[in-house]
Amino acid sequence: MSDALDAARDVVTGLVGDQAEEWDRTGELPRETLRKLSAGGWLCPLVPAEDGGLGWSSAQDGEFTAHVGSLCSSLRSIMTSQGMAAWTITRLGDARQRTALLGRLTGGELAAVAFSEPQAGSDLSAIDTRIVRDGDTVVVDGRKTWTTGAAYADFVVVFGLLDDGGAGAVVVPTDAPGVTVERIAAPLGCRAAGHADVRLTGVRLPVENLLGGGGQFLPLLVTTALAYGRMSVAWGCVGILRACLAAAGSHARTREQFGQPLGSHQLVAGHLADLLVAEQAASRACEYASRCWDDSSPDQVVATVLAKHTSATNAAHGAALAVQVLASAGTRDGHVVARAYRDAKCMEIIEGSNEMSRLLLADHVLSGAREGGR
């Protein structure tokens, strides 16, 4: 499997080349690149082999995600969206839906997942999108905001409330009547990730598009998709840190100030040491979380939240250190550390903000305290 991982790294490195800076400036990823990665199964490597995927472990998927994240966080964001869609379909879809939809996601098509709404961000219990059954169809009405990858997607997995009081996830083709995709202009980070608002006005679809027939518990639906998203973002942040470490280290070795290499000045050396600590801490947290996934450990949930929080926090801090080391060279729009600085800030917000992560971790501690009678 290491050979397959190395081959995948080579493919994506060749496809990205030196274009990440231009993609960031223009806010656009080449669709042919995305479709090629989809067709190779590389946008959602966890999809089982029997469903047309690569069948990778979480650890393998994570290392690949980190590599992509080190090259281009916008491209990594598309991986996260595709992976979340595939994970949701795998967990919620019936056999027919899994066969049909996962084959599309590993066959050249692109997907996004729509959670957030104008009044439903961290509090996803406030979701107001409605999915109403009408005979052998469902009708979807609502508005989703900041849907990563929606500008490129062939279909979007939309989360909403059913007319019977339950919840569900419905597969909505972006070219269906009543669907409007409105791209968000000039986002702070991951500028080329195709962030968009999605309006759904009387969108009528076959009832077969409702994953698993619907009727699930809303928190379960949200947790299912967010679990994968948090892992993907966490590993992507490891990639951000590795890119920053490489750029800052190279600059500190080759740039001279006061007749000495920049890295020989103790304050700069301290920044490099802190950056290495940030990368190593994030890497170890992600490696542990992936082991929990692969071993189906009962610690999987808290390990995932911990990895996401640790990696995102360290990526934001580490990117700031890298900009400081490179100084004016690192503030040029499109430079790898300038992109990292903006992208990492977004990672502290998406798939569970730092504040939400801390609350979840605190709940874990309090739960353990109660069980121990303390």
Side-chain angles (χ1 to χ4, degrees), residues 274-305:
D274 289 346
L275 185 49
L276 177 62
V277 169
E279 184 272 329
Q280 286 290 295
S283 295
R284 299 296 87 76
C286 286
E287 288 167 2
Y288 172 67
S290 279
R291 284 199 302 273
C292 287
W293 275 59
D294 292 333
D295 296 340
S296 298
S297 167
D299 294 331
Q300 177 180 333
V301 173
V302 69
T304 299
V305 175

Side-chain angles (χ1 to χ4, degrees), residues 169-350:
V170 61
V171 175
V172 180
T174 52
D175 61 359
V179 178
T180 304
V181 179
E182 302 169 339
R183 190 156 190 161
I184 294 170
L188 172 68
C190 299
R191 290 175 175 173
H195 305 296
D197 294 340
V198 180
R199 295 181 182 271
L200 306 144
T201 307
V203 181
R204 187 175 294 273
L205 302 164
V207 73
E208 290 80 10
N209 284 36
L210 188 60
L211 293 178
Q216 294 94 353
F217 186 44
L218 181 60
L220 174 63
L221 286 178
V222 172
T223 302
T224 295
L226 279 182
Y228 182 90
R230 285 170 176 158
M231 279 297 295
S232 183
V233 168
W235 276 108
C237 287
V238 170
I240 288 175
L241 284 162
R242 290 175 181 173
C244 286
L245 189 59
S250 175
H251 185 80
R253 284 191 297 271
T254 57
R255 171 78 165 167
E256 288 196 359
Q257 291 287 277
F258 304 104
Q260 301 179 48
L262 189 62
S264 67
H265 297 279
Q266 288 184 344
L267 291 177
V268 175
H271 290 329
L272 296 176
D274 289 346
L275 185 49
L276 177 62
V277 169
E279 184 272 329
Q280 286 290 295
S283 295
R284 299 296 87 76
C286 286
E287 288 167 2
Y288 172 67
S290 279
R291 284 199 302 273
C292 287
W293 275 59
D294 292 333
D295 296 340
S296 298
S297 167
D299 294 331
Q300 177 180 333
V301 173
V302 69
T304 299
V305 175
L306 182 63
K308 195 276 177 181
H309 181 63
T310 300
S311 296
T313 301
N314 283 358
H317 177 58
L321 290 175
V323 172
Q324 195 70 24
V325 171
L326 273 81
S328 58
T331 63
R332 179 172 53 81
D333 192 31
H335 189 282
V336 61
V337 301
R339 296 200 316 270
Y341 186 78
R342 290 184 285 99
D343 295 343
K345 183 68 233 178
C346 294
M347 299 307 106
E348 290 192 303
I349 298 170
I350 65 171

Side-chain angles (χ1 to χ4, degrees), residues 79-101:
M79 280 186 67
T80 298
S81 292
Q82 191 95 339
M84 289 174 73
W87 186 255
T88 302
I89 291 163
T90 300
R91 291 296 176 271
L92 302 181
D94 58 33
R96 182 196 60 79
Q97 290 168 330
R98 290 195 300 271
T99 297
L101 295 171

